[in-house]
Amino acid sequence: MGTHSERRYTELLRQRTAAIEGLFGKHSLYLASPVPFYLGGDATILGFDEYLPDHTVFCTNEMTGAWGSGQKPGNSGEFELVMVLAKGSTLAPSRAADGLMRKGWLGVTLHGFAKYSTQAVLTPGEVAGPLPDAFSPHTHLLFVDFAAGKVKFGFGGRQYGLLLLISISAAEERYHEAHGAEALLKKLRKAGSYPASDPARMDVL
């Protein structure tokens, strides 16, 4: 039956997965490391194809629920990380010829920032960069509170956050620096470029 800690972890995982699926639908991708995150492995990532037409939502399934991820909580407490990609994006995880899943730059990015969130507080409205060349011409990520407004994420009687990472160009990063995150988000939404990370899109300025 397992130890008390193992049973608690299993129940926490069940509750968290159900809560995330309650937001984004049934997951179509489960990307997990054989080594648990808290022991140095990669963050578990779920993929969802039902939430946005022609896009996949990717969300970590690791950081919330006080299981010792080591994350430094933001203003809204613990949070999971989210990225959205168009179907067929070269940044997305893919299945190799040997049948194994490759995490792609999406997986590298979400895992990297999951690890980074154990060392520093990630705050909505801030930007981080530079990004790898695979994101070119985009150079930075903008952090957005994805659990604000209609999207509410919680389980076990507690509310948690969802931090969206959306890629932006160098010009958009300069605009952010001059005018702030809300002004840039307004332009991204008006152009239909929110919430996806799409390096092939036109600048919204």
Side-chain angles (χ1 to χ4, degrees):
M1 294 180 63
T3 66
H4 172 73
S5 294
E6 290 171 338
R7 292 194 297 272
R8 178 172 169 267
Y9 175 80
T10 300
E11 175 59 18
L12 177 64
L13 178 61
R14 184 194 68 78
Q15 291 182 14
R16 185 172 59 227
T17 302
I20 297 173
E21 289 187 330
L23 295 175
F24 300 130
K26 188 71 175 176
H27 70 268
S28 55
L29 172 74
Y30 187 90
L31 193 63
S33 168
V35 179
F37 180 78
Y38 63 89
L39 292 179
D42 288 356
T44 298
I45 297 171
L46 303 179
F48 302 89
D49 291 324
E50 301 175 4
Y51 187 73
L52 286 175
D54 302 317
H55 290 77
T56 301
V57 176
F58 298 91
C59 182
T60 59
N61 185 15
E62 198 77 63
M63 312 306 294
T64 53
W67 178 251
S69 70
Q71 185 183 73
K72 293 185 181 296
N75 293 335
S76 301
E78 295 177 330
F79 55 88
E80 300 292 341
L81 296 113
V82 178
M83 286 190 77
V84 181
L85 299 178
K87 296 283 182 62
S89 171
T90 58
L91 301 173
S94 60
R95 192 171 299 280
D98 58 9
L100 298 177
M101 287 298 298
R102 300 292 188 261
K103 60 186 176 183
W105 280 108
L106 176 283
V108 171
T109 303
L110 283 183
H111 169 65
F113 278 95
K115 282 293 186 186
Y116 186 58
S117 75
T118 68
Q119 304 168 31
V121 176
L122 307 186
T123 304
E126 293 184 347
V127 297
L131 288 171
D133 289 344
F135 285 86
S136 181
H138 285 184
T139 57
H140 289 74
L141 291 173
L142 172 65
F143 300 152
V144 182
D145 184 358
F146 203 54
K150 295 181 180 180
V151 180
K152 297 297 182 183
F153 171 50
F155 57 93
R158 294 181 60 185
Q159 292 297 121
Y160 299 100
L162 293 170
L163 189 69
L164 173 70
L165 282 57
I166 181 168
S167 65
I168 59 175
S169 69
E172 290 166 344
E173 192 276 330
R174 290 192 295 270
Y175 183 88
H176 167 275
E177 185 175 357
H179 301 281
E182 286 304 317
L184 177 56
L185 280 170
K186 184 177 180 179
K187 287 187 174 294
L188 287 166
R189 290 189 173 103
K190 184 177 180 180
S193 299
Y194 176 90
S197 289
D198 180 9
R201 67 170 172 80
M202 298 292 290
D203 276 9
V204 298
L205 306 179

